[in-house]
Amino acid sequence: MRIILLTQDDPFYLAQNIDYLIKNMPKHSEVVATVVFDVSPFGKRESFSDKLKKTYDIFGLGFFVNYGVKFVMSKLNPNKKVKNILAKHNVPLVEIEGNINKVENLERLKAYKPDLLISIAGNQIFKLPLINLAPKGCLNLHTALLPKYRGLMPSFWVIKNNEKYTGVSVFFVDEGIDSGDILVQKKVEIGNKTQAELIDHTKLLGMQAILESVEKIHTGGYELIPNPNEEMTYFSFPTKDDVKEFLAAGKRFY
C-alpha cells in the first residue's frame, strides 16, 4: 500500500515520531512521499516574528525561554528536523506552492499513485478533491478522545479541565473539523503528567495507532467508531487568561 504523509516541520515532537512510524511501517505498506507544511502552532499561517510575539504574550517569559532554547537546540540537531528524517529514509519531499488543494498540487500528489493519505499535524483545511484523492481515503491523527476536545491544543485543555483520561484518535477525514468516523482510538491516564510529557506520550501512542490503522485498512476487516457531532466539544487556542488559570491551578507545561 502506497502512503503519502501530510505533516509539518515541527521542531519539537514530530521528527522522532515520524522516524518511528516509517521504521515500523509493515512490509505491505510504504511511505512513498511526504508534504511538509510550514509550522503553524496557532492554527493559522503567520510570520516567524508574529509567532514569537504571540507565544510570549500568551504563555509568558518562562514558557517562551524554555521553548526558545529547545527551538535553537533543534536547529543544531539534525535528528530533530522532519525533512532530515525523510531524507534518511529516502522518502521524497513533494514541493507544493500555496494551498495544498490547488489543482497543480493535487496533480503532484497523484503522480505518486497513493493508496492512502495520512495527516499528522497537517495544518491546512482539506477539501474533497484532496480527501478523495487516494482510493483508501485520508486519515488524520488527533491527540484526544473524539468526539470530545476537537480543535486545537487538546493536551492543554484536558489538563486544564482536570480530565482523568485522554488519548488518541485516528479517523477518516471529512469536510468537518475532527468529525470523521474513527478507525482506531487509544485511551491513556493523564495522572500528574506535564503538558510536554503528555504530548510526548500521546504522539508515540498516535504513531502506534496509525500503524494499527494501516494494518486494518490493509486487511479490510474493521469496524468504524462513531464520532457524533451531538457529543462533541470544541476548543480553540488558549488565551492569556486560560494560561493564567492553568498555572494558578498548579498545572505545569514542562
Side-chain angles (χ1 to χ4, degrees), residues 165-184:
Y165 295 97
T166 186
V168 299
S169 306
V170 177
F171 64 94
F172 282 102
V173 176
D174 60 17
E175 289 188 285
I177 298 175
D178 302 328
S179 56
D181 288 335
I182 300 162
L183 183 56
V184 172

Side-chain angles (χ1 to χ4, degrees), residues 3-112:
I3 297 168
I4 293 180
L5 294 182
L6 310 171
T7 188
Q8 62 174 287
D9 203 9
D10 169 81
F12 304 116
Y13 299 102
L14 279 185
Q16 64 267 35
N17 286 294
I18 288 176
D19 188 38
Y20 175 91
L21 180 68
I22 295 174
K23 281 179 179 176
N24 290 281
M25 192 65 65
K27 291 183 179 179
H28 55 66
S29 298
E30 64 173 327
V31 179
V32 297
T34 304
V35 175
V36 179
F37 302 112
D38 292 336
V39 178
S40 59
F42 302 102
K44 59 183 179 180
R45 303 183 76 175
E46 297 172 305
S47 70
F48 184 70
S49 60
D50 285 342
K51 293 171 189 173
L52 290 178
K53 183 178 184 303
K54 189 173 284 189
T55 300
Y56 180 84
D57 289 344
I58 293 175
F59 294 100
L61 179 60
F63 185 100
F64 182 85
V65 171
N66 181 275
Y67 274 92
V69 170
K70 287 182 179 179
F71 178 80
V72 172
M73 295 301 292
S74 75
K75 293 298 181 183
L76 301 175
N77 183 352
N79 292 322
K80 287 288 188 178
K81 297 178 181 178
V82 171
K83 292 181 180 179
N84 288 353
I85 297 300
L86 298 173
K88 182 178 81 169
H89 292 289
N90 298 310
V91 176
L93 184 65
V94 183
E95 298 289 350
I96 65 168
E97 297 178 7
N99 194 288
I100 192 171
N101 298 287
K102 291 168 62 175
V103 172
E104 54 266 40
N105 290 330
L106 296 180
E107 291 301 319
R108 290 187 179 100
L109 297 183
K110 285 180 184 177
Y112 289 92

